Amino acid sequence: MTEHEKNKTSRLKHRSVVVGLVWLAGLLLTGVIIYLINASFGGNQQAATQGGLLSLLKTSQPQPPVRTDTFCQLVEKPNNSCLGEPKGLCSKDIEIAKIAWKYFENNYNPATGLYNAADKYQSTTMWDTGSALAATIAAHEFGLINDKDFDDRVQAMFKTMTNMELFNKEAPNKVYHAATAAMVDYRNQPAPEGIGVSALDLARMISWLNTLGCMHPKYAYPAKKTIERWDLTRIVKEGQMFGMYRDQTSKDKKIVVAQEGRLGYEQYAGKIFRELGYDQRVAATYNNEFRETINIYDLPIVYDRRDPRDLGAYNYVVTESYAMDAIENGIDAENKPLIENIFKVQKRRWEETGIVTAVSEDNLDQKPYFLYNTIFTAGLPWNATTDKGVRYDHLKTLSVKAALSLALLFPDDPYSKTLAYTVSTAYDPERGWYSGVYENGGGYNKAITANTNGIILSLLLYKKYGEFYPICKRCQRGLTLSPAKIKTCDVCEVK
């Protein structure tokens, strides 16, 4: 082979190598580009198959149908779209909720599913159990507890409600030991025969059983059966509600049945029984024969004219009953002006005196340990009194639950900011919200209760969804009892 031919052959081999290297570089570059494009859609296999070039190739391939016989599809929460579009909660809302839920974490009795009514005190009522159920529903809704924890707590409560002893075999006793579910008295001492029944307390429990069955339909039937276990024949009748108690002065401690409820709490509870189908033509309206009006700071404030000397019950005008009526039963043409005046008169007192005012009944961290701090009672405005009529004006407080209730119901009024700001630090981060702040500079009222913390959580649930009974009726998920259980209707007209 000549020198010329050798050079030609060498050049051809070199060219083949170069071409090969170019092809190899091209393949490598293509691979890098594909990798980078796929990585840009999430950096994982799922994102790559959803958004990368490989997915373009896969879309042309037939996809298997979505299977419905899997627990991923079968274990789904109920469709609650009928409740309406939930409103978002801000970070401060969640912070407030977490503080309130701390109380219930600390005061839960897993053996019974009941919560202590007051911090570390193992006693409870149906009223406080209703407040605790409200808190549990809200905590689950806000993601503070998961599905398992929520169901465990609710199932334990229903087990207790199904098996607990009833007063005179009629309805729940006024007080139970929270750890054992045994009937006790107000000192938390054993009371094997019970001490009586409160219709108002039962109504609060029914209200939150209704909301539970509405938001979690699997619990609607247990809620219904819980209520149907009670014999309300002597408790809800003649258009009103009646409580029971044992006459301690009689030899055989006979059971006394007495009308229960005064304007405010009476209407809150009466509407709840009316929704079950009971005749509450007197109790469910603020325009009944017992309504009277007094002007305080030139604002008409309604109160109950029934004489406490007749039945031993005072006509406490406080924030709580009106706030709960609004968020649970809903605001209507009848209660709207009354609720507005409850807000305005307390704002007017602040404007006139400089005292930030939002009053209600509350536990105290000192004697007498419970006080009705009122707008009006026993003929006196701004009266702080016990249930026996003893005045303790030096222990007046700004109620945390009342302040936050008014602030949430009237968010556009500047006074609401004053209320919310004033109580914003009235809590122990490890125990929950305090009951209030003493007006006279006495510091925090550090009593911590299920009712205060439960109401706070229910307020935030209201903020998210709105008025509970109206939205549940819209969903057609309200509790209804078997007709045979409703024995006391005279008219049975439910408006």
Side-chain angles (χ1 to χ4, degrees):
M1 180 181 294
T2 65
E3 188 67 26
H4 175 72
E5 289 173 334
K6 290 180 179 178
N7 291 337
K8 184 177 180 181
T9 300
S10 177
R11 285 196 300 272
L12 289 173
K13 289 180 179 179
H14 179 72
R15 185 179 299 171
S16 298
V17 171
V18 170
V19 170
L21 290 173
V22 169
W23 274 100
L24 180 59
L27 289 172
L28 290 172
L29 180 61
T30 301
V32 170
I33 292 172
I34 291 174
Y35 172 79
L36 291 175
I37 291 175
N38 278 290
S40 69
F41 284 88
N44 57 50
Q45 183 178 358
Q46 181 183 1
T49 56
Q50 290 177 347
L53 291 180
L54 292 178
S55 66
L56 299 177
L57 298 175
K58 291 186 177 183
T59 54
S60 63
Q61 302 297 322
Q63 299 295 312
V66 176
R67 295 182 60 179
T68 58
D69 61 340
T70 67
F71 285 111
C72 291
Q73 297 293 324
L74 294 173
V75 183
E76 286 188 349
K77 295 181 180 180
N79 182 355
N80 280 344
S81 59
C82 63
L83 298 176
E85 186 67 27
K87 297 179 182 178
L89 300 181
C90 70
S91 59
K92 189 65 177 179
D93 294 330
I94 298 300
E95 179 187 337
I96 290 171
K98 287 180 177 179
I99 294 169
W101 182 244
K102 199 70 179 179
Y103 174 88
F104 297 97
E105 288 181 334
N106 295 341
N107 286 278
Y108 181 57
N109 297 278
T112 61
L114 302 177
Y115 297 83
N116 304 334
D119 192 32
K120 300 179 181 179
Y121 186 66
Q122 290 182 309
S123 177
T124 193
T125 67
M126 286 296 102
W127 184 280
D128 296 298
T129 301
S131 293
L133 179 56
T136 306
I137 296 169
H140 178 257
E141 186 65 33
F142 304 153
L144 304 184
I145 55 176
N146 60 28
D147 292 349
K148 172 65 174 168
D149 196 359
F150 175 74
D151 282 342
D152 286 352
R153 291 168 186 258
V154 173
Q155 293 285 7
M157 178 202 71
F158 273 126
K159 183 178 180 180
T160 294
M161 296 295 292
T162 300
N163 293 287
M164 65 169 35
E165 192 171 358
L166 303 178
F167 175 79
N168 199 45
K169 301 187 184 303
E170 292 181 69
N173 189 48
K174 288 184 177 182
V175 201
Y176 287 89
H177 195 287
T180 66
M183 292 194 294
V184 294
D185 59 22
Y186 283 119
R187 296 171 300 138
N188 213 27
Q189 297 303 304
E193 295 183 347
I195 63 171
V197 174
S198 168
L200 299 182
D201 287 11
L202 298 186
R204 180 145 183 80
M205 187 66 200
I206 291 169
S207 176
W208 285 101
L209 285 172
N210 183 78
T211 302
L212 174 67
C214 170
M215 299 187 71
H216 301 271
K218 68 181 180 181
Y219 289 122
Y221 186 74
K224 172 184 175 181
K225 299 309 289 184
T226 293
I227 300 167
E228 288 185 343
R229 182 172 178 247
W230 309 338
D231 182 358
L232 301 178
T233 306
R234 298 200 291 171
I235 297 170
V236 188
K237 61 180 182 177
E238 301 168 6
Q240 299 182 83
M241 294 164 293
F242 292 78
M244 297 180 179
Y245 65 92
R246 292 193 180 277
D247 182 0
Q248 299 298 323
T249 63
S250 66
K251 185 176 181 180
D252 57 354
K253 296 183 180 179
K254 70 177 182 179
I255 296 174
V256 178
V257 180
Q259 186 275 330
E260 183 177 353
R262 295 293 178 267
L263 205 73
Y265 282 107
E266 180 182 48
Q267 285 62 45
Y268 163 73
K271 291 178 184 180
I272 291 166
F273 282 115
R274 185 178 66 183
E275 288 299 322
L276 287 180
Y278 287 94
D279 168 30
Q280 289 289 273
R281 63 186 182 276
V282 177
T285 176
Y286 288 96
N287 294 322
N288 63 32
E289 61 184 291
F290 304 110
R291 171 175 170 165
E292 287 286 354
T293 303
I294 185 171
N295 283 333
I296 302 176
Y297 288 122
D298 296 323
L299 289 165
I301 302 299
V302 298
Y303 70 96
D304 198 299
R305 66 175 176 82
R306 280 170 279 200
D307 193 329
R309 291 172 295 185
D310 293 336
L311 295 173
Y314 284 87
N315 54 337
Y316 310 110
V317 181
V318 295
T319 303
E320 184 174 334
S321 64
Y322 289 94
M324 292 189 306
D325 186 27
I327 72 169
E328 294 176 37
N329 295 320
I331 298 175
D332 55 37
E334 184 179 273
N335 66 14
K336 186 173 187 291
L338 307 183
I339 297 168
E340 288 176 345
N341 284 343
I342 290 293
F343 175 79
K344 289 177 181 177
V345 75
Q346 297 184 87
K347 177 183 177 181
R348 190 72 56 83
R349 180 174 183 251
W350 168 67
E351 291 172 337
E352 294 290 330
T353 67
I355 302 171
V356 180
T357 304
V359 299
S360 202
E361 74 276 31
D362 277 302
N363 287 60
L364 296 180
D365 59 1
Q366 57 184 293
K367 290 182 178 180
Y369 299 113
F370 192 91
L371 206 59
Y372 292 90
N373 192 15
T374 70
I375 295 170
F376 180 82
T377 194
L380 296 171
W382 314 114
N383 185 10
T385 179
T386 67
D387 60 349
K388 304 300 183 184
V390 180
R391 295 180 63 182
Y392 285 85
D393 287 349
H394 64 290
L395 294 181
K396 290 180 180 179
T397 61
L398 168 64
S399 171
V400 169
K401 65 187 176 187
L404 295 180
S405 295
L406 293 174
L408 199 58
L409 287 170
F410 299 93
D412 297 326
D413 192 293
Y415 183 52
S416 293
K417 290 186 176 181
T418 298
L419 288 171
Y421 176 73
T422 305
V423 301
S424 62
T425 56
Y427 65 87
D428 182 323
E430 299 302 320
R431 296 172 62 216
W433 287 91
Y434 298 140
S435 291
V437 182
Y438 288 105
E439 285 186 357
N440 64 2
Y444 297 124
N445 169 20
K446 292 187 177 182
I448 303 180
T449 67
N451 194 43
T452 288
N453 286 279
I455 286 177
I456 289 171
L457 281 160
S458 68
L459 287 170
L460 294 169
L461 192 64
Y462 161 79
K463 179 181 178 181
K464 185 169 183 176
Y465 284 107
E467 303 159 345
F468 302 121
Y469 265 95
I471 63 174
C472 291
K473 289 175 71 174
R474 184 172 69 237
C475 283
Q476 297 183 330
R477 291 182 179 175
L479 289 181
T480 56
L481 302 186
S482 302
K485 293 297 296 182
I486 305 174
K487 303 175 183 178
T488 64
C489 282
D490 299 315
V491 179
C492 287
E493 179 182 353
V494 180
K495 298 181 180 180

